[in-house]
């Protein structure tokens, strides 16, 4: 059976999710999955690079080091699967985004994790650099997973919304009617700001199960200030990242509300995620939301989301057959398959590109 590997590290920058998967008869069959955390030093260096605090030499070195970690993740998932690597057709490696600027006179998106290193170490054809072709065609280069959502999560009997709670939140609107186009976009921050504030205030990389946020209360004035950011009401197609929503963004707004306890700020950041998503969901009285991404493991976040959208039913993508943490790496395995088979991987109605495009570059074994 042909199999594929998907490698993904998102805006949370906490590590690399790897999955070995096959697609028999247009279904998804996961054979093994692994997560390789970034060493603390590498994570700090990646974060600095994402905030324009790295020299070209440092970025070049990180490109190689992260490439070796992506290769390690691929090797570990192969070992966990017990598969003969000769059956693995290709690797889809998203890489690690360090800067995403889809607007302006010269739009770009930069990912590190040298795919030549991945191909050389694993001896498996690797597909990478998925975003830039869509950008070249006038698109946002993101989000790209809606094409995968459409292929595997659509239903002709219910309106579905796939909600990815990574560092940034994005939604894919999958209407039951084939006459209504699939759409999707980044709604704004999901875990990125909560993680950044938690690290800054407690030294912990994330707020486990939302316990710390649960100790605080929402500061409504601060929340309103946050929600006044010009990104939220912007009409799609749109995408964003830590270039906009980062710790400095939080501290600038917090400085206008002196005396707010740190745990209240954390609780307010969680509510920012909830409110910004709820405001941008499709208007439908018959909506089923399937959640994926790291935020699916935060019970407080999920509970608040359910209360914010009482007209919708909230579930996890595990009900559709894919673990919430593995949806994105599976998607990039599928995108690699699309590329190698000469098929497009973007949705122009989502990204705003001039048309369908075959994404990525192929690095032969």
């Amino acid at each position: 059976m042909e199999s594929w590997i998907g490698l993904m590290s998102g805006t949370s920058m906490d590590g690399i999710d790897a999955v070995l998967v096959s697609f028999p008869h247009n279904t998804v069959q996961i054979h093994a999955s692994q997560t390789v955390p970034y060493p603390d030093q590498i994570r700090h260096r990646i974060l600095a690079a994402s905030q324009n605090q790295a020299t070209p030499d440092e970025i070049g070195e990180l490109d190689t080091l992260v490439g070796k970690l992506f290769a390690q993740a691929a090797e570990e998932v192969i070992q966990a699967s017990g598969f003969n690597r000769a059956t693995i057709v290709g690797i889809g490696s998203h890489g690690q985004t360090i800067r995403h600027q889809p607007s302006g006179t010269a739009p770009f998106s930069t990912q590190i994790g040298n795919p030549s290193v991945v191909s050389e170490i694993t001896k498996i054809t690797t597909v990478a650099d998925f975003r830039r072709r869509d950008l070249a065609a006038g698109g946002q280069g993101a989000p790209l997973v809606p094409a995968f959502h459409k292929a595997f999560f659509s239903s002709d009997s219910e309106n579905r919304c796939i909600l990815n709670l990574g560092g940034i939140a994005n939604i894919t609107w999958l209407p039951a009617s084939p006459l209504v186009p699939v759409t999707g976009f980044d709604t704004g921050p999901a875990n990125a700001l909560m993680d950044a504030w938690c690290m800054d205030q407690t030294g912990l990389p994330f707020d486990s199960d939302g316990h710390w946020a649960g100790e605080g209360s929402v500061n409504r004035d601060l929340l309103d200030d946050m929600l006044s950011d010009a990104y939220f009401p912007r009409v799609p197609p749109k995408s964003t990242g830590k270039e906009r929503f980062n710790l400095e963004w939080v501290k600038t707004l917090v400085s206008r509300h002196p005396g707010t306890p740190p745990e209240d700020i954390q609780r307010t950041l969680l509510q920012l995620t909830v409110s910004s998503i709820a405001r941008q969901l499709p208007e439908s009285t018959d909506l089923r939301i399937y959640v994926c991404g790291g935020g699916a493991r935060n019970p407080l976040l999920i509970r608040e989301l359910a209360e914010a959208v009482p007209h919708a039913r909230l579930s996890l993508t595990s009900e559709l057959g894919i673990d919430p943490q593995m949806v994105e790496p599976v998607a990039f395995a599928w995108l690699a398959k699309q590329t190698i088979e000469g098929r497009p991987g973007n949705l122009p109605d989502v990204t705003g590109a001039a048309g369908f495009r075959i994404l990525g570059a192929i690095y032969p074994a």
Side-chain angles (χ1 to χ4, degrees), residues 166-183:
I168 298 297
N170 54 67
I171 62 173
T172 304
W173 168 231
L174 301 171
S177 170
L179 301 178
V180 181
V182 171
T183 56

Side-chain angles (χ1 to χ4, degrees), residues 167 188-201 207 212-213 216-219 222-223 226-227 232 245-247 249-251 253-254 260-277 298 300-301:
N191 302 308
L193 299 183
M194 290 187 283
D195 290 351
W197 182 251
C198 187
M199 173 62 81
D200 184 70
Q201 295 295 305
D207 180 13
W212 189 39
S217 301
V218 176
N219 181 321
L222 175 58
L223 177 62
M226 291 176 170
L227 287 168
F232 298 120
F245 294 109
N246 52 46
L247 183 60
W249 185 89
V250 175
K251 289 186 173 181
L253 291 171
V254 166
T260 306
E263 63 272 21
D264 286 6
I265 295 169
Q266 185 73 2
R267 181 66 182 80
T268 303
L269 288 171
L270 185 144
Q271 190 60 44
L272 170 66
T273 294
V274 170
S275 297
S276 58
I277 291 169
N298 184 329
L300 179 59
L301 178 58

Side-chain angles (χ1 to χ4, degrees), residues 2-18:
E2 285 188 352
S3 58
W4 303 77
I5 291 174
L7 303 174
M8 176 70 195
S9 181
T11 48
S12 292
M13 300 180 177
D14 49 2
I16 303 154
D17 290 321

Side-chain angles (χ1 to χ4, degrees), residues 109-362:
S109 188
T110 302
Q111 286 75 40
I112 59 173
N114 189 338
S116 290
V117 171
V118 177
S119 178
E120 181 65 28
I121 291 175
T122 63
K123 309 304 181 189
I124 298 171
T125 295
T126 300
V127 184
D129 191 23
F130 288 95
R131 300 194 182 277
R132 292 201 290 181
R133 182 59 192 274
D134 186 86
L135 279 158
Q140 292 277 309
L144 295 181
V145 289
F148 171 79
H149 295 160
K150 179 183 179 182
F152 293 97
F153 291 156
S154 292
S155 167
D156 58 6
S157 60
E158 68 176 6
N159 294 315
R160 292 179 173 177
C161 178
I162 310 300
L163 170 60
N164 176 50
L165 298 174
I168 298 297
N170 54 67
I171 62 173
T172 304
W173 168 231
L174 301 171
S177 170
L179 301 178
V180 181
V182 171
T183 56
F185 55 91
D186 290 347
T187 60
N191 302 308
L193 299 183
M194 290 187 283
D195 290 351
W197 182 251
C198 187
M199 173 62 81
D200 184 70
Q201 295 295 305
T202 71
L204 299 174
F206 61 93
D207 180 13
S208 180
D209 292 336
H211 287 315
W212 189 39
E215 296 174 4
S217 301
V218 176
N219 181 321
R220 292 293 169 183
D221 291 337
L222 175 58
L223 177 62
D224 288 344
D225 208 356
M226 291 176 170
L227 287 168
S228 69
D229 189 279
Y231 180 80
F232 298 120
R234 187 180 301 170
V235 176
K238 62 179 182 177
S239 58
T240 189
K242 286 187 175 180
E243 302 77 23
R244 186 182 194 103
F245 294 109
N246 52 46
L247 183 60
E248 291 308 309
W249 185 89
V250 175
K251 289 186 173 181
T252 297
L253 291 171
V254 166
S255 68
R256 303 174 190 167
H257 304 268
T260 306
E263 63 272 21
D264 286 6
I265 295 169
Q266 185 73 2
R267 181 66 182 80
T268 303
L269 288 171
L270 185 144
Q271 190 60 44
L272 170 66
T273 294
V274 170
S275 297
S276 58
I277 291 169
R279 290 182 177 192
Q280 298 177 79
L281 286 173
E283 294 183 4
S284 173
T285 57
D286 176 25
L287 179 63
R288 185 74 176 268
I289 300 173
Y290 292 91
V291 182
C292 58
R297 296 178 295 189
N298 184 329
L300 179 59
L301 178 58
I302 296 300
R303 186 166 67 246
E304 290 298 319
L305 272 169
E307 291 184 7
V309 287
H311 61 286
R313 292 173 295 161
L314 221 63
S315 306
L316 301 181
T317 54
S318 50
E319 292 195 14
L320 299 177
I322 304 182
D323 180 279
Q325 195 67 23
M326 290 298 125
V327 172
E328 285 198 299
V330 170
F332 278 90
W334 178 78
L335 285 169
K337 182 175 184 290
Q338 291 290 99
T339 300
I340 287 175
E341 293 177 354
R343 304 175 191 276
N346 66 336
L347 291 180
D349 283 331
V350 170
T351 66
F356 292 100
R357 297 290 186 271
I358 299 171
L359 305 179
I362 299 173

Side-chain angles (χ1 to χ4, degrees), residues 59 92 94 133:
I59 292 173
H94 173 271
R133 182 59 192 274

